[in-house]
Amino acid sequence: MNPVAFEQIDAMKLATGALACFVAAPLLGLVAATSAWVRRLLLLFLLFVPSFWLVNSSVMVVSVEWYRGHTKGFPVGALDVLSIALIVAAIASPKTRFNPAPPGTVPYLLFVALCSISVLAAERPLFTAMAIYKFLAAFLVYVAAYNTVRSRADLRALLAAAALTLAAQCAVVVKMRYLDGTHQAVGTMVHQNSLSMWAYFLGLPLFAAALSRSAKRWESLLYLAGTAAAGLIVVFSLSRGAVAVFGVGAVVILSLSTLRGVTFRRLGIAAACAAAALLVFGKAHDSILSRFEGATDNDKSGDLRWVLNRMSAEMLDDSAIGVGWNNFNVVNSRPLHRYSRLLEEWDRKRGFYANSAYYEKNPNTESLYWMYLAETGYPGFVGLILWLAAWFVIALRAWWARGDSLAGAFAFGLVCTLPVFYAHHQLERILTQGINLSAFMLFMGTAARILHGATAEAAPARQLRLGLLYRLLTWSIGSRPVPARSHG
């Protein structure tokens, strides 16, 4: 393609994106500002569209689809339009006060800023700019979720959207498995690991919500259906890590919920889950066992993951600020030889030989944490850990504030899911992919809203608890309690 044609196509894409974001999205937002049902429908689309048509619903300005990195241009699409529309609706609505900087904004923007320092060492600064744009655009989803989920009805709509989206994706996966004969189903996504991590991240908080005493019977059934769909997706994707995480997460959520109080609903759900697990394992045990038994890791001299992590370690040793955000696959590939040699030596030890052209598009490391250490150095890695830790604290505080309400149960599900989700990223870098990143932003923005909306309501209860503790303490040491002040 000649440069002139390339510029014309990019200009057309830029114009299309500008019209979508600055004309169509605000108009849609003004319509949504007048109707709660329209806002909830947009929430459904915010979950559903990325999982099915994220690529086809976007235009990529300055596209580098040949690149194997985690960001391949400046995408503008349905996700941005929906997020901007919901933000405009929140601004225009007379019934709410828009907050452009929800709880969690500072650690997230600090993370982006610390990662951006790596541009000073980037081989391709434009690729770093792509990553900066991608993560700033993703923050729109967080702000939109925070300002849209205003009530219990809004939260119900979001949870129903998650259940319906999982059910639709499960239908695709079942078709691939039984009608198309696919061994490892990928659904509408590019890889089974992306699919499985997306599924359990949505499914486990739904499971916690289904166990809540505040959920109506039909709500529990709907959320359980979504959880079951997530389980089937994980099983049929045959992603070993996701199968383990989903099983452990479900057991932890069920066990801790039961400890907080045994109900007929929880006992019935526990029995149903056990029966469903036995049924699924009986049907697909051959595939599951062969996947676990046939995928024994090689020793360190033959493990590709280890080689790629070793590349990351050398990049970090060479530059404390990394080699540039989204530049891993630039510097680890030919014509540069500094890091590609590690993969080439590993191939030769295995008896595989290829010319230098074969190594012009080497793979990225699978570990999210090693990738950030390599690309953004110590500053970006510290920013990443602070961001993930701060948002876990938000979920934890939201659970504490809301208890066993539907909102509290959802936050509790996140509290149980996030640790294993974070740990799983030592083996997968899924959080860099748009589908998973948008789901993470949507659910965490909702958790931030639960926390912020619950603070004022929960304050008297916390004061009462502290007052009772104070009285018990003073009684135990023989002191006279200070009389309560009169409000008269």
Side-chain angles (χ1 to χ4, degrees):
M1 180 179 296
N2 63 67
V4 176
F6 180 78
E7 291 174 2
Q8 288 175 346
I9 291 175
D10 268 356
M12 291 174 60
K13 291 178 179 179
L14 188 60
T16 302
L19 285 172
C21 291
F22 299 114
V23 178
L27 290 175
L28 182 59
L30 292 176
V31 173
T34 64
S35 171
W37 285 104
V38 175
R39 291 194 297 271
R40 291 165 193 162
L41 186 61
L42 294 183
L43 269 180
L44 168 63
F45 290 155
L46 202 57
L47 258 178
F48 191 87
V49 171
S51 65
F52 281 84
W53 302 292
L54 181 61
V55 176
N56 294 332
S57 64
S58 303
V59 293
M60 188 75 76
V61 181
V62 191
S63 175
V64 287
E65 289 299 326
W66 51 266
Y67 185 51
R68 294 193 68 175
H70 53 80
T71 309
K72 303 180 181 183
F74 298 91
V76 181
L79 199 61
D80 307 286
V81 171
L82 292 168
S83 300
I84 293 171
L86 287 171
I87 289 172
V88 170
I91 295 172
S93 175
K95 297 181 180 179
T96 186
R97 186 172 64 180
F98 176 71
N99 185 353
T105 296
V106 172
Y108 185 78
L109 295 183
L110 178 63
F111 153 72
V112 175
L114 290 174
C115 289
S116 301
I117 296 173
S118 65
V119 73
L120 300 174
E123 188 77 20
R124 297 279 186 93
L126 180 62
F127 287 8
T128 298
M130 291 175 181
I132 295 171
Y133 167 83
K134 173 182 178 178
F135 280 85
L136 288 178
F139 189 65
L140 293 176
V141 179
Y142 187 79
V143 177
Y146 175 85
N147 287 283
T148 301
V149 183
R150 309 171 187 172
S151 65
R152 178 187 172 94
D154 293 331
L155 179 61
R156 284 175 171 172
L158 177 63
L159 295 177
L164 293 174
T165 302
L166 284 166
Q169 190 66 237
C170 183
V172 176
V173 167
V174 171
K175 173 186 175 296
M176 294 182 73
R177 178 64 185 264
Y178 289 109
L179 297 183
D180 301 338
T182 305
H183 180 61
Q184 285 185 276
V186 299
T188 60
M189 303 186 190
V190 296
H191 196 275
Q192 66 269 12
N193 290 338
S194 304
L195 173 69
S196 59
M197 291 184 76
W198 170 86
Y200 78 65
F201 182 78
L202 295 186
L204 290 176
L206 273 180
F207 185 49
L211 293 167
S212 172
R213 293 173 176 173
S214 299
K216 297 179 181 179
R217 183 174 299 175
W218 69 266
E219 289 177 326
S220 285
L221 292 175
L222 178 61
Y223 304 155
L224 281 175
T227 304
L232 287 174
I233 291 170
V234 169
V235 169
F236 290 149
S237 72
L238 294 180
S239 174
R240 291 170 294 159
V243 169
V245 167
F246 184 81
V248 170
V251 169
V252 169
I253 288 172
L254 182 59
S255 300
L256 293 180
S257 296
T258 304
L259 288 176
R260 295 168 65 189
V262 177
T263 64
F264 286 112
R265 173 183 296 182
R266 289 170 181 168
L267 290 175
I269 289 175
C273 288
L278 289 173
L279 180 63
V280 171
F281 186 77
K283 182 68 176 176
H285 71 281
D286 291 340
S287 298
I288 297 172
L289 292 177
S290 65
R291 174 64 175 153
F292 276 85
E293 294 172 357
T296 304
D297 290 332
N298 299 324
D299 59 19
K300 287 186 176 180
S301 64
D303 189 351
L304 179 58
R305 288 181 184 270
W306 182 84
V307 173
L308 295 173
N309 290 344
R310 185 181 166 195
M311 278 186 182
S312 302
E314 287 203 7
M315 292 177 192
L316 183 63
D317 289 339
D318 291 344
S319 173
I321 62 171
V323 297
W325 205 2
N326 195 34
N327 271 248
F328 187 97
N329 297 85
V330 174
V331 300
N332 85 326
S333 302
R334 292 280 191 168
L336 301 178
H337 182 256
R338 172 74 178 89
Y339 308 108
S340 180
R341 80 182 198 287
L342 297 172
L343 185 59
E344 295 169 27
E345 291 171 359
W346 177 70
D347 278 341
R348 284 195 294 270
K349 288 179 180 178
R350 295 188 303 131
F352 176 80
Y353 297 91
N355 58 35
S356 59
Y358 178 83
Y359 297 98
E360 290 179 356
K361 296 181 181 180
N362 289 336
N364 202 335
T365 180
E366 295 295 328
S367 168
L368 179 80
Y369 304 111
W370 271 115
M371 189 201 77
Y372 271 96
L373 282 168
E375 290 192 344
T376 65
Y378 294 110
F381 181 74
V382 169
L384 174 70
I385 298 303
L386 289 176
W387 162 39
L388 297 181
W391 283 19
F392 173 76
V393 171
I394 286 175
L396 186 64
R397 292 180 61 200
W399 172 38
W400 170 258
R402 286 296 179 100
D404 198 30
S405 66
L406 185 63
F410 170 77
F412 167 68
L414 284 175
V415 168
C416 295
T417 304
L418 287 176
V420 289
F421 185 66
Y422 291 167
H424 198 176
H425 277 84
Q426 174 60 18
L427 300 175
E428 306 290 346
R429 60 178 192 280
I430 303 303
L431 201 53
T432 61
Q433 297 184 1
I435 296 169
N436 297 80
L437 182 61
S438 65
F440 181 68
M441 290 293 190
L442 184 57
F443 269 21
M444 293 309 300
T446 302
R449 183 65 188 184
I450 290 171
L451 169 64
H452 195 263
T455 301
E457 299 172 12
R462 282 202 296 268
Q463 291 172 1
L464 176 62
R465 283 195 292 268
L466 291 174
L468 289 173
L469 288 173
Y470 173 76
R471 290 174 185 273
L472 287 172
L473 177 62
T474 54
W475 174 81
S476 65
I477 62 176
S479 300
R480 182 180 179 181
V482 178
R485 291 185 179 179
S486 170
H487 293 283

